[in-house]
Amino acid sequence: MSTTTTPTIHLPPDVLRSLIEVFRNMGVARYTSTAGLVAMLYDWFLTVEDEIEVIWRKKMTLTSVLYLIVSSSPAIPIAMRHRPSTIC
């Protein structure tokens, strides 16, 4: 019967501290991004009735198209970051 051993990697303490800090910052960035997404969705739910009446039920103009682009553009990168595998 053969046993397999896992090689041990020894990192200098300063490299190990740097790696720990990187992983800690990744968690902070994820929570911050999630908080921004929640705030954006909350704002959208508060104003969706007004948006439907003022923008969607009227004739589309350049102003309304620009409003839709500006109001939805922050949602695209935030939503792309929050794929189901990365939501906490």
Side-chain angles (χ1 to χ4, degrees):
M1 174 157 54
S2 84
T3 59
T4 309
T5 60
T6 305
T8 304
I9 299 173
H10 296 283
L11 296 174
D14 58 332
V15 172
L16 187 58
R17 278 191 294 275
S18 295
L19 284 173
I20 291 170
E21 187 67 24
V22 165
F23 287 118
R24 191 173 290 143
N25 289 339
M26 287 171 57
V28 170
R30 184 177 300 144
Y31 291 131
T32 304
S33 179
T34 302
L37 178 63
V38 169
M40 188 178 62
L41 289 173
Y42 176 73
D43 177 63
W44 182 78
F45 280 117
L46 290 177
T47 61
V48 70
E49 286 183 43
D50 294 334
E51 181 179 321
I52 290 171
E53 186 162 329
V54 174
I55 301 294
W56 292 104
R57 291 193 178 155
K58 308 268 173 146
K59 181 181 175 188
M60 279 292 170
T61 64
L62 177 62
T63 306
S64 59
V65 170
L66 288 175
Y67 168 79
L68 292 172
I69 291 170
V70 168
S71 67
S72 63
S73 61
I76 296 167
I78 293 173
M80 289 177 70
R81 281 194 62 138
H82 286 82
R83 295 180 304 270
S85 62
T86 60
I87 294 178
C88 296

